[in-house]
Amino acid sequence: MMPDNNDMNTGRAKSMLERHIQSLLLTIIAALIGWVGVTVLELSDSSARYDERLKGLTTQVEQLREDLRRQSSKFITDNEVQSDLGVVNGRINALSDRVSRVESRLDESGR
């Protein structure tokens, strides 16, 4: 008994359909692999740019720290300010006392 011609055509049609589906799936997989490759390259480029920016910022921070260390000798502490302020206030009070004495002498001599 020979297979029916109709059964053979149906088998071929299924085989062709399977081939088309496989081709479609392979195309989709290849496209996804390509997309992943492009994305990885873009991320690699971005990472390299960020690394360069980070190196630049690190250099700037180090330079600012060095500048701050050099400038720190020019700053004075709160205790030093309070001490200096006490000296200045003492001088002002002394001058005020002298002016008061001079004024009182002028008042006495002007009478």
Side-chain angles (χ1 to χ4, degrees):
M1 181 160 192
M2 287 194 64
D4 218 3
N5 210 11
N6 214 6
D7 287 339
M8 286 175 52
N9 285 341
T10 304
R12 282 188 194 157
K14 285 182 182 179
S15 175
M16 290 292 285
L17 180 63
E18 286 176 0
R19 283 190 211 156
H20 286 302
I21 290 174
Q22 286 176 353
S23 296
L24 178 65
L25 289 174
L26 286 175
T27 303
I28 291 171
I29 290 170
L32 287 173
I33 289 172
W35 174 78
V36 167
V38 168
T39 303
V40 166
L41 285 175
E42 288 174 354
L43 291 174
S44 176
D45 288 345
S46 294
S47 176
R49 282 192 298 272
Y50 289 133
D51 284 346
E52 288 302 314
R53 287 180 187 167
L54 186 60
K55 286 178 186 176
L57 289 173
T58 302
T59 302
Q60 286 179 348
V61 167
E62 288 171 356
Q63 182 64 42
L64 288 171
R65 284 182 178 166
E66 182 61 33
D67 291 347
L68 187 59
R69 277 189 212 106
R70 276 190 260 125
Q71 294 294 327
S72 66
S73 64
K74 296 180 181 178
F75 297 118
I76 59 175
T77 64
D78 284 341
N79 291 338
E80 292 172 328
V81 168
Q82 293 302 324
S83 175
D84 290 347
L85 189 59
V87 170
V88 169
N89 283 335
R91 288 180 182 168
I92 290 172
N93 289 337
L95 288 173
S96 180
D97 290 343
R98 287 176 63 189
V99 168
S100 295
R101 283 191 306 250
V102 168
E103 287 175 343
S104 66
R105 282 186 188 166
L106 286 175
D107 284 344
E108 289 175 4
S109 66
R111 285 187 191 168

